[in-house]
Amino acid sequence: MRALCVLTALLVLASAIVAQESETPAQKLGKLEERLKKLEDEAAKLRKELEELKRELGGNQLPEGVLWTLDMKSDLKGSATVADLDGDGKPEVVFGSYFGEQHLFCVRGATGEVVWKHKSDAGPLDASTAVIDLDGDGKLEVFSADSSSGHFYDVAPNGDLNWKFKLPNSTDSPVAIADLDGDGVKEFVIGSMWERDGKGAVTCYSAKNQEQLWQARFKGCIQSEPVLVDLNADKTLDAIVTTWRGDNCVHALNGKDGTELWSFKTEGNEKSMGIYHGVALAKDEKTVFVTTCQGDVYAINGKGKQQWHKHYDDYLFAPISVGDINKDGKEELVFGGHNIYCLAAGDGAELWKQGLTGGLDRGAAFTDADGDGDLDVIFNDQKSVVALDAKDGKETFRFDATYKDEQWEEISSAPIVADLDGDGVMEYFLVIGVGTSNDNFVHNYGRAMAIKLKGKGPGWTTFRSNLRRTGNPAHAE
């Protein structure tokens, strides 16, 4: 009888082995992915229980002024977006991550708890995220792009992939989204890096089946966020892009077909870095502002003609932010490199400037940081979050976000401001860490965190303030 039982067990085992060997590679992959997801879910639950236990034991005390932290395997080079993805009246924060982590994260705004993660196909998720109901079904969707492969993702509120497709090449360009022609169907416009002929592309797609509507190509990489504005009064939003390591130009494209309306040549030669980020718009949308890595600042009218120009001996990498920040009825520009500058938008007169410890990489946002009721300019300076009074540039707020304090540690993410915990007072989201593309990423690390401000707003919930990417909070979606 014992021999019969052993024989039966061996037959069952052999059948299992034969069945396993007969599985196709796709079936094996599916099972492994399912198993991995279960393990990741279990690990997330264990981490949550561990953090809660540490808090109960007093072993995980947050620094003063911090709402929550989340440790990661890399930093963030782009921007997060704050939105109520699941419709429960509470915001979530969605953001990408660099080599070593390479996931799109969705976390609860009030606690930092990871709701879901979506892994990229090949590389970092540098391009700033976007959140919008693209197809009008009443559900928000999250948009992100893989910088290495150039895959563009549409992710559902629960983290499932709705669709993805391949852009012309790799990309760091933050997507701009709007209904360009007012027909009730949204379009999205996004740039990509240079191909073998040295030209990058800016492409417009329809929300219907991701159909390509038009494409324009220029010498260099289109790293910039396309800025959407009706330049020729034809009731269709046009697109403005800039080139990085290319032709040193600002290009204005017809929103109907992508043909060039005008181009504006900035100072520089073939060795110049050009313009990494895009332009900004005045409130009336009749003036375009741009800075270059060569240190030049321009005001250009809607027909591509220069209104004024200033030069600084500075590496002006960051995008411009525009608004009436000192409440004098006139708009101001804020931009920077090794310094941060505030200029009068009308004529370029310098109102104030302040030196920085590091540099202004991803621009500045406008909010009341210190709770005095007036606007401040808030931004990242190496390892610190700093706010300056919009009227005179004097410091009003500083938070040292130092994590491990290693040599290349800094905050590379763009400023995001929102009421994350629902108490009526703003928080500021950032990711600090080290993100390099060498040494197999073993030295990369990051810490996402929400820090508490003292004012009640306004918020700045996505890169460049809105999905037309105008850099001006006066512009609604």
Side-chain angles (χ1 to χ4, degrees):
M1 178 63 71
R2 181 180 296 176
L4 181 60
C5 291
V6 171
L7 180 60
T8 301
L10 288 173
L11 288 172
V12 171
L13 179 61
S15 298
I17 292 172
V18 170
Q20 185 176 12
E21 289 178 349
S22 65
E23 287 180 343
T24 67
Q27 289 173 327
K28 290 180 180 179
L29 178 62
K31 287 185 176 180
L32 286 173
E33 288 178 340
E34 183 179 354
R35 183 182 175 192
L36 178 61
K37 186 177 186 305
K38 289 180 179 179
L39 289 172
E40 288 178 340
D41 290 343
E42 180 64 22
K45 291 179 182 178
L46 289 173
R47 281 195 295 269
K48 183 180 178 182
E49 291 177 8
L50 180 62
E51 294 303 316
E52 289 175 351
L53 183 57
K54 285 182 177 180
R55 289 190 184 96
E56 290 177 9
L57 297 174
N60 191 28
Q61 297 294 328
L62 291 172
E64 183 179 358
V66 176
L67 180 64
W68 53 259
T69 65
L70 172 66
D71 290 347
M72 302 163 54
K73 297 176 183 177
S74 74
D75 66 352
L76 165 62
K77 309 296 186 185
S79 173
T81 302
V82 178
D84 179 10
L85 287 184
D86 54 12
D88 66 352
K90 300 176 182 179
E92 284 75 39
V93 187
V94 289
F95 56 97
S97 51
Y98 197 63
F99 282 120
E101 184 72 70
Q102 299 170 213
H103 279 82
L104 178 66
F105 282 77
C106 174
V107 305
R108 300 198 187 284
T111 65
E113 175 191 353
V114 177
V115 181
W116 50 259
K117 296 198 302 182
H118 181 271
K119 193 176 188 306
S120 74
D121 291 312
L125 298 162
D126 287 350
S128 300
T129 55
V131 175
I132 196 172
D133 177 5
L134 186 68
D135 53 13
D137 66 354
K139 298 179 181 179
L140 294 177
E141 298 153 70
V142 180
F143 297 91
S144 180
D146 182 329
S147 294
S148 296
S149 71
H151 283 146
F152 187 68
Y153 306 107
D154 178 338
V155 181
N158 64 357
D160 291 342
L161 182 67
N162 288 329
W163 50 256
K164 70 177 180 180
F165 70 89
K166 181 77 168 62
L167 297 170
N169 201 3
S170 51
T171 183
D172 282 348
S173 173
V175 64
I177 306 176
D179 179 0
L180 298 186
D181 53 9
D183 66 351
V185 178
K186 292 184 177 66
E187 288 80 25
F188 50 97
V189 187
I190 187 169
S192 51
M193 298 181 194
W194 51 28
E195 300 174 64
R196 291 184 178 181
D197 62 359
K199 292 183 178 181
V202 54
T203 312
C204 177
Y205 302 89
S206 171
K208 287 186 176 180
N209 302 318
Q210 304 85 56
E211 175 190 3
Q212 179 178 313
L213 301 180
W214 54 257
Q215 183 179 97
R217 302 178 74 246
F218 303 102
K219 180 182 177 183
C221 297
I222 310 298
Q223 304 283 70
S224 70
E225 63 282 5
V227 174
L228 306 181
V229 55
D230 184 3
L231 292 169
N232 54 4
D234 65 352
K235 297 184 180 180
T236 297
L237 294 175
D238 307 303
I240 305 177
V241 297
T242 60
T243 60
W244 166 253
R245 298 175 70 186
D247 60 11
N248 300 309
C249 284
V250 179
H251 295 279
L253 309 174
N254 192 313
K256 292 181 177 179
D257 56 14
T259 56
E260 191 165 74
L261 296 175
W262 51 259
S263 66
F264 179 85
K265 180 80 170 177
T266 65
E267 296 290 332
N269 54 42
E270 61 182 12
K271 295 182 179 180
S272 299
M273 299 303 286
I275 309 160
Y276 189 91
H277 290 100
V279 305
L281 295 180
K283 181 179 180 179
D284 63 8
E285 305 189 8
K286 294 181 179 180
T287 308
V288 176
F289 305 99
V290 69
T291 59
T292 76
C293 293
Q294 291 72 256
D296 294 292
V297 189
Y298 298 90
I300 309 164
N301 69 20
K303 296 183 179 180
K305 304 300 181 183
Q306 179 179 304
Q307 293 182 325
W308 55 259
H309 166 228
K310 294 192 71 169
H311 178 79
Y312 288 92
D313 292 326
D314 203 341
Y315 181 69
L316 302 181
F317 181 84
I320 291 181
S321 298
V322 187
D324 180 9
I325 56 177
N326 58 15
K327 303 303 179 185
D328 64 352
K330 301 176 183 178
E331 289 191 302
E332 290 76 40
L333 315 178
V334 176
F335 58 91
H338 300 300
N339 300 284
I340 185 168
Y341 307 87
C342 179
L343 273 57
D347 58 8
E350 185 177 296
L351 303 178
W352 52 259
K353 78 173 183 178
Q354 292 288 350
L356 302 177
T357 301
L360 191 69
D361 290 339
R362 307 298 173 190
F366 306 143
T367 192
D368 177 10
D370 58 356
D372 68 352
D374 294 328
L375 286 178
D376 302 289
V377 175
I378 193 166
F379 56 93
N380 302 315
D381 182 9
Q382 202 170 52
K383 296 181 178 72
S384 296
V385 177
V386 180
L388 307 178
D389 190 289
K391 293 180 180 178
D392 55 19
K394 293 181 179 178
E395 187 173 305
T396 59
F397 177 91
R398 178 176 289 268
F399 178 86
D400 182 359
T402 300
Y403 177 23
K404 296 184 178 181
D405 202 21
E406 295 190 3
Q407 181 179 5
W408 303 111
E409 180 177 291
E410 64 177 350
I411 307 169
S412 294
S413 57
I416 288 291
V417 180
D419 178 9
L420 296 178
D421 58 1
D423 67 351
V425 179
M426 295 291 114
E427 282 79 35
Y428 185 96
F429 173 81
L430 64 99
V431 179
I432 187 169
V434 171
T436 66
S437 57
N438 53 21
D439 298 328
N440 294 318
F441 328 130
V442 295
H443 298 296
N444 289 358
Y445 64 87
R447 170 168 282 180
M449 65 173 70
I451 63 172
K452 300 175 183 178
L453 303 180
K454 299 178 180 179
K456 296 183 178 182
W460 190 285
T461 59
T462 193
F463 186 61
R464 311 301 285 124
S465 179
N466 54 71
L467 289 184
R468 287 204 287 133
R469 308 300 191 188
T470 66
N472 192 325
H475 299 139
E477 299 294 358

